[in-house]
């Protein structure tokens, strides 16, 4: 009796896992989402497990279990390591910094602030008016506009 289980068409199960691994690796290469790579790794492991006398239905369950473990336990670590997702820019370093209002900001009109020698279009986060010469704090950056609030000394 052979240790390899074949399907009705003479296809050994390890060929299915190898093919699935290749397809999943290609998908990961095209998307770079760090999702299908874990299924591709699980399929690679299944290539070796398929040499054991295990029915294909159980192999599928083992594959799904390995995939789930890899996906839920290693993906967050990989994302943190590779820092995928939000792209940090120098603009992010402005959040929390103090700036000077150079053109009055009102509820209905955007004004301007000056930080690091640069002038930014600005509005307040709560619609509060800030007059020229007021010190403010940058809350966030939306596009090319700074969202500010009045500076509170701590």
């Amino acid at each position: 009796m052979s240790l390899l289980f074949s399907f009705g068409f003479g296809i050994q199960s390890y060929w299915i896992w190898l093919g699935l691994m290749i397809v999943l690796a290609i998908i990961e290469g095209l998307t770079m989402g760090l999702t299908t790579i874990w299924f591709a790794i699980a399929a690679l492991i299944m290539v070796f497990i398929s040499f054991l006398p295990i029915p294909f239905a159980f192999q599928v369950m083992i594959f799904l279990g390995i995939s789930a473990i890899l996906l839920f336990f290693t993906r967050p670590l990989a994302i943190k390591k590779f820092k995928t997702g939000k792209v940090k820019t120098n603009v992010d370093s402005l959040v929390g910094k103090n700036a000077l209002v150079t053109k009055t900001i009102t509820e209905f009109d955007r004004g301007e602030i000056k930080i690091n020698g640069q002038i930014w279009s600005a509005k307040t986060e709560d619609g509060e008016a800030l007059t020229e010469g007021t010190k403010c704090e940058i809350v966030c950056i939306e596009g090319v506009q700074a969202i500010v609030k009045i500076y509170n000394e701590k």
Side-chain angles (χ1 to χ4, degrees), residues 18-70:
L18 186 62
L20 184 62
M21 181 201 66
I22 292 168
V23 168
L24 292 169
I26 290 170
I27 291 170
E28 180 63 33
L30 295 173
T31 62
M32 301 297 288
L34 282 178
T35 301
T36 55
I37 190 67
W38 310 116
F39 292 92
I41 293 169
L44 176 64
I45 293 169
M46 289 310 301
V47 168
F48 298 104
I49 292 176
S50 68
F51 285 99
L52 300 173
I54 301 172
F56 188 72
F58 289 123
Q59 289 181 27
V60 171
M61 287 189 275
I62 293 169
F63 167 74
L64 293 174
I66 292 170
S67 298
I69 289 169
L70 289 173

Side-chain angles (χ1 to χ4, degrees), residues 6 31 59 76 91 102 112 116-117:
S6 65
T31 62
Q59 289 181 27
V91 172
T102 57
E112 293 179 350
N116 296 339

Side-chain angles (χ1 to χ4, degrees), residues 7 11-22 43 47 56:
F7 295 91
I11 299 173
Q12 304 295 333
S13 62
Y14 59 85
W15 287 113
I16 292 174
W17 295 118
L18 186 62
L20 184 62
M21 181 201 66
I22 292 168
V47 168
F56 188 72

